[in-house]
Amino acid sequence: SESTEFNTKKLLDGSSDNKSYSDNNSVSLISISDSVETREYNLSITSDARQAVLVSGSAADTGDISEEEAGTLIINGLSVSIKEGMSIEEAYSAIRDACDSVNIKAFFSDGSFNAAEADNEYAGYTAVAPENGGNLTFVTKAYGSDAKLEIYCENENLRERFGIGEDGATAEGVDAGASLGEGFSETATLQSNGRIVTVRDVNGFEMQFKVKA
C-alpha cells in the first residue's frame, strides 16, 4: 500500500489490563509493559516496511544451458550449480529451491513494478513462466533493513544468460517509518525493525506495534 494511506493518527488505549484499540486495522499493538498508563497515544506510520528486492536484466534466451554457461550462482552465500544441458525450467527450479531454503522468493517477472501491489508476495512485480523468459527476480520473505540480498557469479556467460552484472548485485529492505505524537513524553524513543515499531521510555515503558504488510 502507499505510505500515505497509513499517515494518520493511531489512537491506542494503553490500559493496565493490556486491552487496547487502534483506529486503523493496518497497525496492531502486540505488546505493552505494565508501566504504560491508561491514555490515548498517537503514533503516525509515515512509510511502509519493504523487503529486499533484486531484479536482473532481461533473460531473453530460453534455450538449454550451454557448456560455456555452466557455472555457479552465489545467492546470499549459498552456491547454486547450473549445469550444462539443463533446461531453463530446470535451472530456474534449482535457483528457486535453493532460495526457498534461505527464505528468498525467486521468480521470473516482466520487470515492471506496480507500487499499488507492493505488499503482495511478489513485492509489486508480476510473475511470468520461466519458458517465456523475463527478468529473474529475487524477493526476501523478511522485511526491513536486516533483510539483505547478495548475488554473484564468476562465469561471464552465465551472468549474461540471467542478466547479472559483472560485480553482482546487492539490496536490503526498508524499515517502517513512524513518528510519535500526543500521549508520549518528550523522553520517549522510537525504533523500527522491519514491520515492528517499538516505543520505549523511562521506568520500563514499552509499547510494540506491528504494521501489516
Side-chain angles (χ1 to χ4, degrees), residues 78-115:
L78 185 67
S79 297
V80 183
S81 179
I82 306 299
K83 300 177 181 179
E84 178 186 358
M86 276 185 165
S87 67
I88 191 66
E89 292 90 348
E90 291 171 331
Y92 164 65
S93 293
I95 295 169
R96 179 201 60 207
D97 294 347
C99 285
D100 190 57
S101 72
V102 289
N103 294 317
I104 298 170
K105 190 173 188 67
F107 57 96
F108 279 96
S109 75
D110 61 8
S112 61
F113 173 70
N114 182 356

Side-chain angles (χ1 to χ4, degrees), residues 22 31 45 83 117 193:
S22 170
S31 70
I45 303 301
K83 300 177 181 179
E117 301 292 332
N193 184 3

Side-chain angles (χ1 to χ4, degrees), residues 7 9 42-46 177-181 184 190 192 197 199:
N7 194 12
K9 297 290 184 171
N42 300 329
L43 175 74
S44 293
I45 303 301
T46 56
S179 62
L180 302 178
F184 296 101
L190 183 150
S192 294
V197 177
V199 182

